[in-house]
Amino acid sequence: MIPSPDAPAGAAACYACLADGFPGFCLLLAGDGTVVAASPRTRECFGDITGRRFPLLPATFPATPLAAPVDMAHGARLYRVLTVGPDGLAQAGDAWRTLVLGLDVTDLEMARRQAARRQGQLAAIVENAMEGVVVAVAGRLVYVNSFMERLTGHDAATLCSRPFSGFLHEEDRAGVVANHRKRLAGEPAPAGQTFRIRARNGQVRWVRTVSRLMAWDDVPASVSLLADITDQRQVQVTLDTLIRDQEARIESRTASLRQANATLEAANATLTREIEAHEHTARKLAAARRKALEATKAKSVFLANMSHEIRTPLNVILGMADLLSRPDGQEGLDRGRALAMIREAGTSLRGLLGDLLDLSRGEAGRLALENVAFRPAEVLETVLSRFGPQAAEQGLALAGAIAPDVPMVLTGDPGRLTQVVGNLVANALKFTPSGRVDVTMARAAPRRATAATPGVVGLRVGVRDTGIGIPPEQRRHIFENFRQVDGAGGGGAGLGLAICRRLVGLMGGRIRVSSQPGEGSEFSFTARFGLAREATLEAAAQPVEIPPAPPLDILLAEDSNLSAEMVAAYLVPRGHRLTRAANGREALTALAMGHFEVVLMDIRMPVLDGLAATKAIRRGDVPGCDPAIPILALTAHGARRDRDRILAAGATDYLAKPVSLDALLAALARLVQGEKGAGGHPPPTTGAAGPETPAGQGAEAFDAGRAEALENLGGDTDLYDRLAAVFVRDTPGDRRRLRRAMDDADGPGLVLAAHTLKGNAGVIGASRAARLARDLEMAARDGRAADFPALAAALGEELDRVLAGLADRGIAPAD
Ligand code: ADP
């Protein structure tokens, strides 16, 4: 700076300092406004302007002084100019009068303008923002943007005029205000919040805010940005409702699906069960069909075998009989051999018949076993001795062995045991071309059940051969009826093993076979027996030794012609002399008049029954008659409960009717030996009136009964026909008596008539008629008059059928 020549030293120095250090320009003006002195910076900007007017000052200066600093543009720059008058500065005599100071404020101004522009922009942004902007201080709004006005419907002044809580939804008010207070107090408060405000028109708007603490005019304020989320919220609510609806729908759909699934599963299970049941039924049907086919085939085979089996011995019998009866055929005929052949053929036929009867009894479930004491060793010996000759003839060795642990005496059915072992040995011999047959008898390894039964012994019997053997696939069939190994030959009806299996089953055991084709077979079976003491056997074995009775004088007290005829047919051909009495009274008279060794006493008879007659004899009421005369009582089958009464009345023994030939002969033999057998010998279990005959089988029952009746008669069909003829002859009279007794309400007469019919029907094997007659007899005995008509009618019908059946067989009434 050029120091002013007029400036006092101090002021000049001060000015110089100022002028040099001042960042703007600095100059001194004279009283006329011309430049007296200028600082270097001034000269840099304006050049040398000393003596000239300072271009930035208006032309009116200094006449019109500047009241305040003035911004003056010079070129592109802007200066702020300040003039300081002479007062207080310029001394009298100083050349200058005015101090001009100037600063280049171009940048400052530009910055200010920029700032103002920015502020305007920001304000515009805030004002035009699509969100609300509010500043709240101490519970009041101090700034709101126009969005808030639109949102609330209130103008800014209204919004800022009262506490903002008044604009909030009453339920959200407390929470929002509390947050606000916390924030202002510098306590932690959530930055974001969602709440409702109430617009002027009463509408509720949902807003989401983000707030910060800041200073507003030096006091703590809360600045918040508000987003109107009412629509969003509504969408959300709608969405929530939709989702809830959807979920409920899905849930109910799931539940119904689950239910449908459960129903389906149940249906599926039912279906599966039904399918299984159908399959089971189908399998059963297929099996039944297979069985039926097999049975049909087996029956055809059986018929073929049977006709062969019957025809062969029949041809022998007829051929031999023919030869023997022809006068010209005697030459060179070995009569002994011919008779032996006839016997052999007869025996074979009897065996066949026996098998058939066993089969039919077995199938009717009526195969019954005896229970007597026997020696197992004797059974073995019987079989060996029976088949020894045949084995020797075939060149085969036949041997038996009995284990030492087999008890000496057992109880059971020795006859059936012998039959089974015999059958197996017969088969073994039949199917063994060379080698040997061994029979073994040992104690069976005890099964748990057997071991648990005291007094029960299991036997195991084995029959081993070295024969042709049996193919594996045929083994399990050979125990069925009529089954034979294909192509094995050997004849036979295919019944033996089936019967063996049934008998072994009855004896509580099982039969099985092991075999190696070409090497041989072993049939073995187990059976259960009772333990018995030797003494039991001695007592039981005795009667078997009894020889047949010699010809006797016998009194037969029997009211039924048929029974009388049958007994006569049994006894007369065997040399016995028979006298018949038709009731007890006649019997006593006959005993008083004649000499008799035995009395056969029917129990139920008219006039005087068998019990009364027996008692009279025993009391010695019959003059000339030995009171100890043997009396064999004949009782109706099914009257076993009468057994004690009969024996108590004094009968020596008794037999159940219909009486079989063998049983009668054995009983007579025992009587003349003086043995009383009734205690040790149960009466035969055969009998047409047995309750085991199924009802309602009509002709079949009759035929089955007939076979049994025939067996009772020793297979004598002529005798059967004769007795049947007597039945045909006598039945109408018996029926008349029955009807009369019913009409006269004559109870005893009805009992007797029914009893007679029962016995007669039993003799010819009319089992159903016999059973109905028995029922009627029981009803008459019990006085059940109401039952008479129905029973009598049923009996009448059945008798008609039986008589018709007999007529069909060509049976005419006896003379
Ligand atoms: P059959 O009267 O025909 O002999 P079975 O029932 O006793 O009747 O026997 C049935 C079939 O079993 C016989 O026909 C035979 O084929 C076979 N069979 C039985 N025992 C033997 C055996 N020991 N060796 C070979 N095959 C046998």
Side-chain angles (χ1 to χ4, degrees):
M1 170 127 188
I2 305 161
S4 164
D6 311 324
C14 187
Y15 171 73
C17 273
L18 177 69
D20 284 345
F22 190 65
F25 51 85
C26 175
L27 40 100
L28 296 174
L29 302 183
D32 61 355
T34 54
V35 177
V36 179
S39 69
R41 176 97 180 109
T42 311
R43 285 196 301 276
E44 262 171 45
C45 295
F46 299 98
D48 186 9
I49 51 171
T50 309
R52 289 192 285 166
R53 286 187 61 84
F54 183 53
L56 287 185
L57 288 174
T60 55
F61 187 85
T64 309
L66 295 181
V70 178
D71 290 343
M72 305 281 187
H74 181 71
R77 318 277 318 158
L78 183 71
Y79 299 96
R80 181 157 299 164
V81 182
L82 172 70
T83 57
V84 182
D87 300 341
L89 285 174
Q91 303 291 315
D94 282 349
W96 63 278
R97 279 286 175 263
T98 304
L99 169 66
V100 180
L101 294 173
L103 275 175
D104 186 345
V105 294
T106 312
D107 292 343
L108 193 66
E109 180 60 16
M110 277 172 59
R112 189 192 61 75
R113 282 191 201 151
Q114 175 75 16
R117 210 170 33 248
R118 187 67 67 216
Q119 191 178 359
Q121 286 167 343
L122 284 176
I125 288 172
V126 170
E127 280 305 304
N128 295 316
M130 293 311 290
E131 289 200 340
V133 179
V134 298
V135 179
V137 173
R140 270 174 191 275
L141 300 176
V142 292
Y143 170 78
V144 294
N145 67 353
S146 52
F147 180 90
M148 288 304 291
E149 292 178 324
R150 288 198 301 276
L151 180 71
T152 61
H154 296 292
D155 57 19
T158 309
L159 286 172
C160 294
S161 66
R162 46 181 198 250
F164 65 71
S165 58
F167 303 104
L168 297 177
H169 189 280
E170 37 300 340
E171 287 174 15
D172 300 339
R173 202 173 279 158
V176 176
V177 171
N179 258 348
H180 172 68
R181 287 208 183 113
K182 277 190 202 161
R183 185 170 304 110
L184 295 192
E187 292 169 19
Q193 251 182 305
T194 300
F195 55 88
R196 285 160 288 180
I197 59 177
R198 256 191 209 290
R200 188 173 172 208
N201 60 5
Q203 267 187 358
V204 173
R205 311 293 301 181
W206 278 93
V207 293
R208 185 186 299 123
T209 62
V210 181
S211 308
R212 291 293 295 264
L213 176 67
M214 64 172 283
W216 184 271
D217 292 340
D218 298 332
V219 291
S222 164
V223 180
S224 305
L225 297 180
L226 285 91
D228 182 0
I229 58 166
T230 309
D231 293 345
Q232 200 181 323
R233 185 84 187 187
Q234 230 137 36
V235 169
Q236 183 68 44
V237 169
T238 313
L239 261 182
D240 284 352
T241 315
L242 274 177
I243 288 171
R244 260 200 310 280
D245 279 2
Q246 213 50 32
E247 277 174 355
R249 220 170 286 165
I250 287 171
E251 210 163 284
S252 88
R253 192 106 185 92
T254 310
S256 70
L257 274 176
R258 212 173 284 135
Q259 177 144 10
N261 201 30
T263 313
L264 269 178
E265 271 174 13
N268 197 26
T270 313
L271 259 181
T272 311
R273 269 198 306 280
E274 274 174 13
I275 288 171
E276 276 169 9
H278 282 312
E279 283 174 355
H280 182 66
T281 313
R283 275 199 301 278
K284 272 173 95 174
L285 278 176
R289 184 172 176 275
R290 212 170 35 247
K291 271 205 153 163
L293 286 175
E294 281 172 6
T296 311
K297 187 179 157 206
K299 286 218 164 138
S300 315
V301 173
F302 164 71
L303 282 179
N305 285 349
M306 236 12 167
S307 58
H308 172 79
E309 287 297 302
I310 294 173
R311 201 187 305 274
T312 312
L314 214 56
N315 284 343
V316 170
I317 292 171
L318 294 176
M320 286 301 149
D322 200 26
L323 270 182
L324 286 171
S325 61
R326 250 197 274 160
D328 55 335
Q330 306 290 326
E331 252 176 62
L333 175 67
D334 179 346
R335 290 177 64 83
R337 172 80 191 118
L339 286 172
M341 283 173 73
I342 289 176
R343 193 175 305 114
E344 210 173 283
T347 310
S348 137
L349 280 177
R350 191 176 57 198
L352 191 62
L353 191 64
D355 277 359
L356 286 174
L357 284 173
D358 277 349
L359 176 74
S360 106
R361 278 200 206 102
E363 295 202 329
R366 290 195 304 169
L367 259 183
L369 292 184
E370 268 200 316
N371 191 22
V372 296
F374 71 98
R375 288 198 179 87
E378 269 177 19
V379 169
L380 188 56
E381 276 157 26
T382 305
V383 173
L384 292 179
S385 61
R386 187 183 300 165
F387 290 98
Q390 184 189 337
E393 206 171 287
Q394 288 179 236
L396 297 172
L398 174 63
I402 185 159
D405 61 352
V406 174
M408 295 288 283
V409 186
L410 294 172
T411 60
D413 192 331
R416 292 302 193 181
L417 179 59
T418 309
Q419 182 182 345
V420 176
V421 184
N423 210 316
L424 297 181
V425 171
N427 277 350
L429 293 175
K430 193 158 46 160
F431 296 104
T432 303
S434 64
R436 54 183 302 113
V437 174
D438 288 289
V439 187
T440 53
M441 198 180 267
R443 242 175 130 135
R447 278 182 305 158
R448 224 177 285 159
T450 314
T453 319
V456 173
V457 175
L459 282 193
R460 180 190 181 278
V461 180
V463 177
R464 181 191 289 275
D465 64 52
T466 55
I468 60 172
I470 303 164
E473 66 282 3
Q474 310 234 18
R475 265 176 228 153
R476 74 193 160 92
H477 295 302
I478 56 174
F479 294 103
E480 292 165 15
N481 294 340
F482 318 129
R483 294 299 286 259
Q484 297 177 309
V485 171
D486 298 339
L495 286 177
L497 288 178
I499 293 167
C500 285
R501 189 187 52 151
R502 224 183 262 275
L503 288 173
V504 165
L506 282 178
M507 288 190 254
R510 290 185 59 182
I511 188 164
R512 41 171 72 86
V513 61
S514 59
S515 181
Q516 200 63 44
E519 290 183 19
S521 316
E522 183 184 30
F523 283 81
S524 63
F525 65 91
T526 53
R528 303 173 76 194
F529 299 96
L531 262 181
R533 283 176 296 125
E534 189 93 0
T536 324
L537 177 69
E538 297 313 327
Q542 208 61 28
V544 180
E545 310 295 333
I546 298 173
L552 297 166
D553 283 312
I554 300 173
L555 173 64
L556 169 64
E558 171 62 78
D559 63 322
S560 156
N561 293 331
L562 191 61
S563 297
E565 183 109 3
M566 183 179 77
V567 172
Y570 287 167
L571 299 183
V572 174
R574 284 165 182 78
H576 300 291
R577 292 165 296 277
L578 203 64
T579 302
R580 180 181 168 202
N583 59 50
R585 175 85 52 231
E586 281 185 19
L588 297 184
T589 309
L591 282 170
M593 291 174 58
H595 166 77
F596 296 98
E597 291 158 286
V598 170
V599 180
L600 301 184
M601 182 77 81
D602 182 25
I603 293 300
R604 194 162 292 278
M605 285 185 292
V607 188
L608 185 69
D609 71 17
L611 287 181
T614 303
K615 284 180 191 162
I617 296 168
R618 292 297 183 234
R619 278 198 306 268
D621 289 355
V622 187
C625 172
D626 178 3
I629 186 171
I631 301 175
L632 177 62
L634 306 177
T635 84
H637 183 83
R640 282 171 70 176
R641 58 197 158 86
D642 290 343
R643 170 181 177 274
D644 294 340
R645 284 198 308 136
I646 293 166
L647 295 178
T652 319
D653 200 352
Y654 70 95
L655 283 181
K657 289 188 351 184
V659 174
S660 86
L661 173 59
D662 292 344
L664 183 56
L665 294 181
L668 281 179
R670 283 200 302 274
L671 284 184
V672 296
Q673 290 284 319
E675 189 214 347
K676 187 168 173 164
H681 294 272
T685 53
T686 56
E692 53 278 88
T693 306
Q697 291 186 2
E700 300 82 29
F702 175 61
D703 285 346
R706 181 176 180 273
E708 205 152 293
L710 246 177
E711 195 195 1
N712 272 343
L713 302 176
D716 188 339
T717 46
D718 281 349
L719 174 57
Y720 179 88
D721 288 352
R722 255 184 13 243
L723 295 176
V726 173
F727 180 83
V728 174
R729 184 194 67 200
D730 288 357
T731 300
D734 293 335
R735 292 173 75 173
R736 271 196 301 279
R737 266 190 294 286
L738 184 98
R739 212 168 306 123
R740 208 167 30 244
M742 267 177 62
D743 292 346
D744 297 350
D746 170 10
L750 184 56
V751 170
L752 203 63
H755 181 79
T756 306
L757 276 170
K758 175 182 76 175
N760 291 353
V763 168
I764 61 151
S767 53
R768 188 164 147 75
R771 190 171 58 75
L772 288 166
R774 183 195 63 189
D775 292 349
L776 185 54
E777 183 190 345
M778 304 293 281
R781 258 203 245 177
D782 299 345
R784 283 182 276 119
D787 295 347
F788 297 167
L791 283 169
L795 175 60
E797 274 174 28
E798 184 61 24
L799 285 171
D800 286 344
R801 275 183 354 137
V802 171
L803 290 173
L806 290 173
D808 284 351
R809 287 174 202 266
I811 309 281
D815 300 334

